[in-house]
Amino acid sequence: MLKSFGLIVVAPPPITERTIKLGIRHSADMMCYPFKVTLGNFIEEIEQGANCLIMYDSRGKCRLRHYWMLHDLILRNLGYDFKMYPLSLKNLLKLIKQFNPDLSYLTIIRKLRQSWKKLKDVEDSASYMIKEGVNIGIVGEIYTCLEPGINLNIDKKLRKFDVNVYNTVRLSDFIKASTRTSLLEKRIFKRTAARYLNGPLGGHGVENLYNVLFLCNKGIDGIIHLLPLSCMPETTIEPILDKICADFNVPLLRLMVDETNSEVNFDTRIETFAEMIKRRKK
Ligand code: SF4
């Protein structure tokens, strides 16, 4: 999307052990895992010549809204020279105009719509339920569910075991929720989910509750809950997800993701889960 605005983009290099180690070395121990990894991303981008950093500011209720300030502080303490730009849906147009003053607001909006359409096409072709065969749903923290470098490519691995993966966490839903354009979607499940909590939770806590209710009602065969270490909303909803899945008799596998993960252990667990679900369905 940024490239379509004529900007020179230094995308983060693929996440490696080095990226993760860099982030961990300079983050508070109990900070959530996505913060550490994105800090490592920034360091590697600066090393590649980036001098303007963009971090999404959710303006929500969780730590994500503070990431950019903390990243900025830590990177400056490390002696890096750069400019940090928090990006939110509120300042999106203004920021793009600031980066490329030659663009009119109309052009920016047109290009944003094109990017939105591309995003929807990619998501719609990647996530759907099948009638014949086994469907496994994924819920959890957005970065962990969407970044293969962090979730050890769980989507691809599960598909190798001959199951269909329905990832309920979609970037477009996140954008729609932030712009309040999805208030009517899954309304009945949202109402039920709200009864389990005493108000807003932040992150994707509430979204995951209603998505699990949605999956269970759609007859999903099994659910995987993916969460990063020390994620507040995801750990808060753990007992609620357990109860919903037990009530619907849907098997649930919870996978914590952090820097100590062993890929072999991870693979064994998802393979066992997939096989168990397949046998159960038969
Ligand atoms: S949702 Fe979880 S991982 Fe994301 S900022 Fe909040 S605590 Fe951290």
Side-chain angles (χ1 to χ4, degrees):
M1 183 190 86
L2 291 174
K3 278 182 187 161
S4 76
F5 296 120
L7 307 180
I8 302 165
V9 181
V10 183
I15 295 166
T16 60
E17 219 182 304
R18 179 177 184 266
T19 321
I20 296 169
K21 277 191 178 152
L22 278 171
I24 288 166
R25 191 181 309 150
H26 302 295
S27 304
D29 278 351
M30 292 309 290
M31 193 54 180
C32 35
Y33 191 47
F35 176 88
K36 298 175 181 173
V37 182
T38 45
L39 180 64
N41 286 146
F42 275 147
I43 295 175
E44 291 189 327
E45 284 174 312
I46 294 174
E47 286 171 355
Q48 291 202 352
N51 54 8
C52 296
L53 306 181
I54 298 177
M55 182 68 212
Y56 187 68
D57 171 7
S58 65
R59 305 178 78 89
K61 294 185 171 53
C62 206
R63 280 180 262 186
L64 178 57
R65 73 177 295 157
H66 308 290
Y67 272 24
W68 70 270
M69 295 192 82
L70 299 172
H71 281 145
D72 186 72
L73 181 77
I74 295 170
L75 291 169
R76 265 180 221 296
N77 282 345
L78 290 173
Y80 292 115
D81 185 24
F82 61 93
K83 195 153 172 29
M84 175 67 82
Y85 294 90
L87 171 87
S88 69
L89 291 171
K90 215 173 159 186
N91 73 355
L92 178 64
L93 295 183
K94 226 170 110 189
L95 196 64
I96 295 168
K97 181 89 178 145
Q98 189 180 336
F99 283 137
N100 188 349
D102 294 339
L103 294 173
S104 68
Y105 280 115
L106 199 68
T107 313
I108 297 174
I109 291 169
R110 219 177 43 234
K111 286 184 185 295
L112 282 174
R113 286 179 64 146
Q114 284 165 1
S115 297
W116 173 257
K117 199 176 165 304
K118 270 190 212 162
L119 171 68
K120 290 285 293 166
D121 288 348
V122 170
E123 287 184 335
D124 289 345
S125 63
S127 206
Y128 49 84
M129 280 205 220
I130 52 169
K131 285 210 174 79
E132 299 293 322
V134 171
N135 289 292
I136 291 187
I138 291 186
V139 296
E141 188 274 331
I142 185 165
Y143 183 65
T144 318
C145 290
L146 295 183
E147 171 52 64
I150 294 307
N151 62 35
L152 306 173
N153 235 324
I154 191 167
D155 191 293
K156 212 167 154 194
K157 282 181 175 159
L158 279 169
R159 285 178 201 277
K160 265 197 206 152
F161 302 129
D162 207 20
V163 296
N164 178 55
V165 183
Y166 184 84
N167 193 343
T168 59
V169 186
R170 291 154 57 115
L171 186 57
S172 59
D173 288 339
F174 180 66
I175 295 169
K176 281 196 274 180
S178 310
T179 49
R180 296 180 185 276
T181 49
S182 59
L183 292 178
L184 297 180
E185 287 174 17
K186 299 180 183 166
R187 203 156 48 143
I188 180 164
F189 304 114
K190 284 177 183 166
R191 249 199 317 250
T192 314
R195 289 194 216 126
Y196 288 98
L197 290 166
N198 182 25
L201 178 59
H204 273 73
V206 178
E207 283 82 351
N208 286 324
L209 288 185
Y210 67 69
N211 275 325
V212 163
L213 286 163
F214 165 80
L215 290 173
C216 289
N217 275 280
K218 286 274 171 207
I220 198 84
D221 299 303
I223 295 178
I224 293 182
H225 182 205
L226 273 177
L227 62 153
L229 186 75
S230 92
C231 176
M232 181 278 286
E234 297 305 323
T235 44
T236 309
I237 61 166
E238 272 189 37
I240 309 174
L241 292 193
D242 293 350
K243 165 134 183 59
I244 296 173
C245 288
D247 288 350
F248 280 88
N249 197 19
V250 172
L252 171 76
L253 173 68
R254 178 162 295 115
L255 293 170
M256 300 272 196
V257 179
D258 75 353
E259 63 271 21
T260 62
N261 266 26
S262 138
E263 192 159 358
V264 180
N265 176 299
F266 198 82
D267 291 357
T268 312
R269 293 185 69 193
I270 56 173
E271 182 178 6
T272 311
F273 187 67
E275 290 306 323
M276 189 197 81
I277 303 284
K278 282 198 291 196
R279 205 175 316 157
R280 190 177 195 254
K281 182 132 187 177
K282 232 188 248 172

